[in-house]
Structure formats: structure tokens, C-alpha cells
Amino acid sequence: MAPMPVSDIKIGHIDDVQELRKSKSSYIPERFIRDTTERPKFDKGVVCSTKNIPVIDLSKLFRGNKDEFLNEILKLTVSCQEWGFFQVINHGIDLELLESIENVAMEFFMMPLEEKQKYPMVPGTVQGYGQAFVFSEDQKLDWCNMFALGLEPHYLRNPKLWPTNPSNFSGTVEEYSREIRKLCKNLLKYIAISLDLNEDVFEEMFGVAVQAVRMNYYPACPRPDLVLGLSPHSDGSALTVLQQGKGNSVGLQILKDNSWIPVQPIPNALVINIGDTIEVVTNGRYKSVEHRAVTHKEKDRLSIVTFYAPSYEIELGPMQELVNANNPCKYRRYNHGEYSKHYVTNKLQGKKTLDFAKIKLDQEFKY
Ligand code: OGA
Ligand code: NI
């Protein structure tokens, strides 16, 4: 969510997906239809519905006895190492608040287009209502409407983009963000412990963390086999917290061992994933895993996604403790603001954005 100069890039006409659904219910414009190799059934792997991402019981970390604590930390290690994704239950966030954010998000998306367009996402920027990550006229579009806001630090906020309608929207976002921020700080503490590091290591490393929220609304699609809800990508954050709408269809899938594994919603749980920053600072020990969203023929879907990342002025690189002869340094040091800018000015394309930080093999030998 790095602030960016308003650019004059040409992105062509972008149909609003909800409006498309309203007007001609079975028509899908060409720009949404993926090339054969990118369609949900053929892109990289087959869908495997028999596996599930791990579940971490946070009450065991907050107030479990020593054995329970250590056992859950071990599960966290495996989750971050093998999956890069897990769901948390008993996270302590008021369930009414989870319901409220979902309600205001849905109320927002259900407003008439003219109302939502009062908060436009200007091409090349990532806040407001529209489609992010579109940079050219020939780029394929995602079957999704998005609304995104920068939250912390406050200088990221653009007050003109904060909806006044629904009237409790902004207040709910504020309260939700405060709770999710606490959760992120706690998770980073446990992630540090799971790596045998000082529990404050990330808090100290990241400075005043950047936080943003993106609400993704995926209308039902008459041909889910031809489109993607959200292109495959890894997240440019340190951690991401994703809330799936209650009773929604399954839509999020993660890439593991060449299969796409659907993330089955668990009532009241939150989905957590490791972002690019944690992959870099752990020198690849914990993985920022590629994921995507697919659509459903009859059901719509909502997700509320919080990105938690280091302050833009922070310099990052693999931690010394995690670099050794068996695990040579895989990433260079860089400024997180520059990484963030690189991330938001490129289309979503698997894990390609991390090339920005990767040390090439020949360089690895040289150092
Ligand atoms: C994201 C994301 C998946 C989803 O917003 O970065 O991965 O299910 N969303 O909405
Ligand atoms: Ni994501």
C-alpha cells in the first residue's frame, strides 16, 4: 500500500463484475476469460480436496499449560514450514465484531455502483473501490470487486476514500483493525518462539507496522472454469489475516506440492498466511505460499483481508541466525518501502514479485 504518484497508465475499460451479473447474467467479457493454461483446472496443479490446512488453537498459546503450549508451538512450526498457511481458532476476537465487519462489507458492496464509485481506486493505486493490480489494456481481469484502505500508520489514510455510507462502516473498520493488529503482534511473537528466537524480534525489526485492509467480493460466475476470482500470488506482507464470509462457498486455494488445496471455511476461524517478508527474514525457512481464489457457479463470496507489514523505511534481509553453510543466504537486503512499491506496481503473478529480493544462483556462489 505504498503511496504512489498518480500515473497515466492505460488500463482500458474495466467492467464492474456485480454490474455484469445484473445486466446479462451469462455473459462473460473476453477480458475475464483466461488463456487455457491459466484456467482453474490447468494452472500448475490439480485441485486436491482431501487435504486441509493446519488449525492452530490459540487458546493453547494464550493460556495453555506448558505441554499444551509447546505442542501448539510445534504445530505452528510445521504449519509455517510446510504450509505457509493455517487457520486459527479461539483467537479471542469478539465474534460479534467478526460478524459486524462482514455485515458492513456486504452492505457496502450491495450499494448502487454510483455510491461505491464515490471512492474510486485510481489506476495505479491500491486504495478505494475497483480492481487493483491492473496495469495494461491487455491484462486479464479477476472476477472480483475490491475495496481497500490503508489503515496504519495514519499518514496512509486518505479520508476521501473512507465511506460515510453505511454509516457504521468506518467505525467498524477501526475497531476490527485494532483487534487484528493485536492478533498479528501476538502471532509474530509465537512465530518468533517457534523459530527459537527472542519473542520481540519481529516487533523490533518491523518498526511501526503498516496495516491495510482489502475486502474482496466475488459474485457468482456462470463459468467458474473460465475465470479466476483472484490471480495466483503470494502476499507482499509479513503476515496476512483473512476472514471468510459465514456460509460462503469455498474459494481460496493454496498451492502445495503441485496441487491446489481449497481452504475449507471453519466457522469463526481466521486464515493466517506467511507473507514475503517472513520468507525473506527467515531465509526461506517459513514460506510465503502461492494462492488464488476461484469462483462459484451459484454462490457469491466475501473475504476481508488484513495485510500487516514492516514500516516502509525498514531495511530487511535474512536474519543471521537462519543463515549457515547448509542454508546459504537466499535473499539480498532491501528497503521494504521499495519492495512494497515493486509489489503494488506489478500484476499478480505467482511468486514472481519475490524475484526482487532473490539472490541468483551464480551470485550465491560468489558471496
Ligand atoms: C488476497 C487474497 C484470497 C481470498 O486478498 O491477497 O489472497 O480468498 N485473497 O479472497
Ligand atoms: Ni493473498
Side-chain angles (χ1 to χ4, degrees):
M1 291 266 167
M4 274 190 303
V6 176
S7 63
D8 55 0
I9 49 173
K10 291 210 167 38
I11 59 171
H13 174 72
I14 297 187
D15 281 304
D16 182 279
V17 185
Q18 283 169 269
E19 297 304 307
L20 275 178
R21 285 294 287 163
K22 275 187 210 156
S23 51
K24 302 177 204 160
S25 67
S26 63
Y27 168 68
I28 302 177
E30 193 58 35
R31 260 190 108 180
F32 290 90
I33 299 182
R34 298 283 169 158
D35 297 337
T36 328
T37 54
E38 280 193 336
R39 291 182 189 169
K41 279 222 174 91
F42 300 103
D43 175 31
K44 290 182 187 162
V46 290
V47 175
C48 165
S49 299
T50 53
K51 290 187 189 150
N52 283 315
I53 67 167
V55 177
I56 303 286
D57 182 347
L58 281 185
S59 69
K60 302 249 166 70
L61 294 173
F62 292 149
R63 48 180 182 275
N65 63 34
K66 197 169 171 209
D67 280 350
E68 287 171 331
F69 181 87
L70 291 177
N71 191 35
E72 219 58 23
I73 289 285
L74 194 64
K75 268 167 68 182
L76 184 62
T77 312
V78 175
S79 307
C80 296
Q81 234 161 243
E82 315 276 324
W83 293 82
F85 262 85
F86 52 95
Q87 308 211 44
V88 290
I89 54 169
N90 298 323
H91 43 65
I93 300 180
D94 190 357
L95 301 182
E96 274 176 27
L97 183 58
L98 300 187
E99 208 175 306
S100 305
I101 192 80
E102 209 178 297
N103 290 344
V104 293
M106 276 313 269
E107 275 173 50
F108 178 82
F109 284 113
M110 293 309 134
M111 291 196 303
L113 182 62
E114 311 81 72
E115 192 63 31
K116 293 182 278 187
Q117 282 176 336
K118 288 183 183 160
Y119 317 100
M121 187 182 287
V122 173
T125 69
V126 284
Q127 295 196 45
Y129 178 75
Q131 281 232 6
F133 307 105
V134 184
F135 302 99
S136 74
E137 283 176 289
D138 50 341
Q139 192 182 326
K140 292 291 178 190
L141 299 175
D142 290 333
W143 193 261
C144 177
N145 285 341
M146 293 176 169
F147 179 71
L149 289 174
L151 300 166
E152 297 288 342
H154 277 223
Y155 74 83
L156 288 178
R157 297 186 180 201
N158 179 350
K160 290 201 191 91
L161 295 179
W162 284 65
T164 46
N165 197 7
S167 61
N168 57 342
F169 186 96
S170 298
T172 308
V173 166
E174 286 272 17
E175 198 184 337
Y176 181 77
S177 309
R178 271 197 301 276
E179 292 301 311
I180 298 285
R181 194 171 182 88
K182 278 190 241 160
L183 176 67
C184 289
K185 285 181 194 294
N186 277 325
L187 286 168
L188 284 172
K189 209 168 75 179
Y190 297 126
I191 288 174
I193 295 172
S194 77
L195 287 160
D196 254 336
L197 300 168
N198 175 336
E199 65 174 48
D200 295 323
V201 68
F202 296 120
E203 181 83 350
E204 285 165 8
M205 189 188 297
F206 292 170
V208 180
V210 164
Q211 188 179 343
V213 68
R214 186 163 69 224
M215 298 165 173
N216 303 308
Y217 179 69
Y218 305 96
C221 177
R223 292 293 303 269
D225 54 327
L226 301 181
V227 309
L228 283 171
L230 189 60
S231 304
H233 65 282
S234 64
D235 291 347
S237 53
L239 268 190
T240 301
V241 179
L242 182 144
Q243 179 179 336
Q244 314 211 56
K246 259 210 184 97
N248 282 182
S249 61
V250 184
L252 172 61
Q253 299 179 337
I254 75 164
L255 188 63
K256 183 173 176 4
D257 307 327
N258 295 319
S259 312
W260 288 104
I261 301 183
V263 175
Q264 303 290 342
I266 300 177
N268 304 322
L270 294 166
V271 179
I272 313 293
N273 67 283
I274 300 290
D276 295 344
T277 303
I278 295 286
E279 172 163 332
V280 169
V281 299
T282 64
N283 198 31
R285 177 120 153 237
Y286 284 0
K287 307 239 163 18
S288 161
V289 165
E290 188 171 335
H291 52 285
R292 68 179 187 185
V294 295
T295 59
H296 190 278
K297 207 165 166 29
E298 277 115 30
K299 290 188 185 165
D300 59 353
R301 179 169 173 265
L302 172 76
S303 66
I304 296 156
V305 189
T306 300
F307 302 99
Y308 186 90
S311 166
Y312 290 136
E313 63 268 21
I314 301 293
E315 303 286 320
L316 291 172
M319 288 183 281
Q320 281 311 312
E321 297 90 324
L322 298 170
V323 175
N324 55 46
N326 292 331
N327 198 12
C329 191
K330 296 191 181 77
Y331 308 92
R332 65 181 178 86
R333 288 189 74 75
Y334 59 85
N335 162 271
H336 180 69
E338 274 171 34
Y339 184 67
S340 205
K341 189 165 168 198
H342 172 76
Y343 189 93
V344 299
T345 49
N346 281 280
K347 67 174 184 175
L348 296 177
Q349 219 180 341
K351 289 201 63 170
K352 200 161 177 295
T353 20
L354 246 194
D355 287 350
F356 175 92
K358 274 201 182 119
I359 295 177
K360 310 278 176 302
L361 261 185
D362 53 337
Q363 279 169 309
E364 212 173 291
F365 286 125
K366 255 188 266 160
Y367 288 110

